[in-house]
Amino acid sequence: MTETTHLIDGFEERRKKTLDWLEKLRLPGERYRYRFSATSSDSLFTSCFALFILDLFKETDNLSAADRRGWADYINSFQKKEDGLFYPSPIFHPDKERAVFQASCFCLSALGILNARPRYRLSVVDRWNTPEAVKQYLTERGVHLGRGGSGNKAMFQAIFLTHEYEITGEDWLKEGINTWFELHDRHQNRNGFWGKNINARHYGGLQNSLHQFVVYNYWRRRYNRL
């Protein structure tokens, strides 16, 4: 009992220190905009991260309805109607698709915490409206080869297809998700990762493949090799 109490006390101390630190990163006079550090500017990414930290410590349970709407409105202000994606500004990453897709996944998670939805349909999924289109996206980015960074791209595609399927229940989206798993199952290497060189079978493979494992775990799909 003493040991358990000690662990709880330690957690509470860390919780307070973390939340005090986070509050210092909030822009003065702003409720939903947070910086990465005391000397940096705010961004869509850092504001999402701030919300994730608040949720980690259950602070979001205490948000008023007005604050939930305020957070959601701020996040949704970055969404573009033409494709439903969320665009950080400015975009520093040389791979613009990766930056936008990554930000969009974070925003969908943040909105989920707030029990809110995007303003617009995530119509980017229309690019993958056939099994062939799903496979083409994955193979062009070298997912089956375990190319560096391809795990991120695969995860983004699966998250977007899953998000829309859970809202609409449309069969073509589920078919796309099944195609995603079929391609991954077919190309897993003997260690359960993707890629054929020695690096892809060990740490490099794990580093890249953990993104796909997120999707497998979410859908409770069995790994053929692990």
Side-chain angles (χ1 to χ4, degrees):
M1 180 65 71
T2 302
E3 182 180 357
T4 304
T5 304
H6 173 71
L7 290 173
I8 293 174
D9 289 345
F11 172 80
E12 285 300 321
E13 181 182 358
R14 287 170 175 80
R15 174 182 177 277
K16 183 179 185 306
K17 286 182 177 180
T18 303
L19 294 176
D20 288 346
W21 163 81
L22 186 63
E23 180 60 23
K24 293 175 183 177
L25 298 182
R26 186 162 62 88
L27 286 188
E30 298 287 345
R31 180 66 187 88
Y32 317 113
R33 295 172 60 184
Y34 289 77
R35 297 167 290 192
F36 183 74
S37 70
T39 58
S40 68
S41 59
D42 69 303
S43 73
L44 175 60
F45 285 103
T46 50
S47 291
C48 283
F49 298 158
L51 184 65
F52 298 156
I53 292 171
L54 292 171
D55 189 59
L56 177 67
F57 292 111
K58 305 298 182 183
E59 291 295 300
T60 50
D61 292 349
N62 303 320
L63 287 178
S64 66
D67 266 338
R68 287 182 180 275
R69 287 194 301 271
W71 268 107
D73 287 346
Y74 174 72
I75 293 168
N76 276 326
S77 70
F78 291 87
Q79 190 184 28
K80 289 191 176 180
K81 187 175 182 179
E82 53 263 35
D83 55 16
L85 293 171
F86 296 77
Y87 286 75
S89 180
I91 295 175
F92 295 107
H93 201 288
D95 185 342
K96 181 178 178 180
E97 180 186 71
R98 176 170 171 165
V100 172
F101 280 17
Q102 181 82 74
S104 298
C105 287
F106 286 145
C107 287
L108 293 176
S109 294
L111 291 172
I113 288 171
L114 298 166
N115 296 320
R117 285 189 178 183
R119 287 177 180 167
Y120 310 113
R121 175 177 171 268
L122 200 67
S123 57
V124 64
V125 297
D126 294 340
R127 304 178 189 178
W128 309 309
N129 60 357
T130 66
E132 291 72 26
V134 172
K135 288 186 285 188
Q136 181 178 355
Y137 177 84
L138 294 171
T139 55
E140 284 179 351
R141 283 147 184 82
V143 172
H144 61 305
L145 304 174
R147 186 182 301 160
S150 64
N152 295 76
K153 299 295 184 74
M155 180 184 70
F156 300 152
Q157 184 192 50
I159 287 174
F160 295 152
L161 289 169
T162 298
H163 180 268
E164 282 303 296
Y165 174 71
E166 290 181 342
I167 290 175
T168 68
E170 293 183 9
D171 291 339
W172 67 271
L173 290 163
K174 185 62 178 296
E175 186 177 13
I177 293 163
N178 286 334
T179 300
W180 188 97
F181 282 115
E182 288 164 6
L183 183 141
H184 279 84
D185 287 345
R186 186 163 64 251
H187 292 284
Q188 263 190 315
N189 63 36
R190 70 190 187 195
N191 287 7
F193 308 143
W194 289 271
K196 296 183 178 180
N197 62 41
I198 189 169
N199 191 45
R201 295 197 301 272
H202 298 284
Y203 178 75
L206 172 62
Q207 186 179 37
N208 194 50
S209 302
L210 66 89
H211 301 89
Q212 286 102 322
F213 292 167
V214 169
V215 181
Y216 271 82
N217 286 338
Y218 185 84
W219 279 95
R220 299 185 179 180
R221 295 285 291 243
R222 183 177 65 89
Y223 304 110
N224 287 336
R225 305 177 188 89
L226 195 60

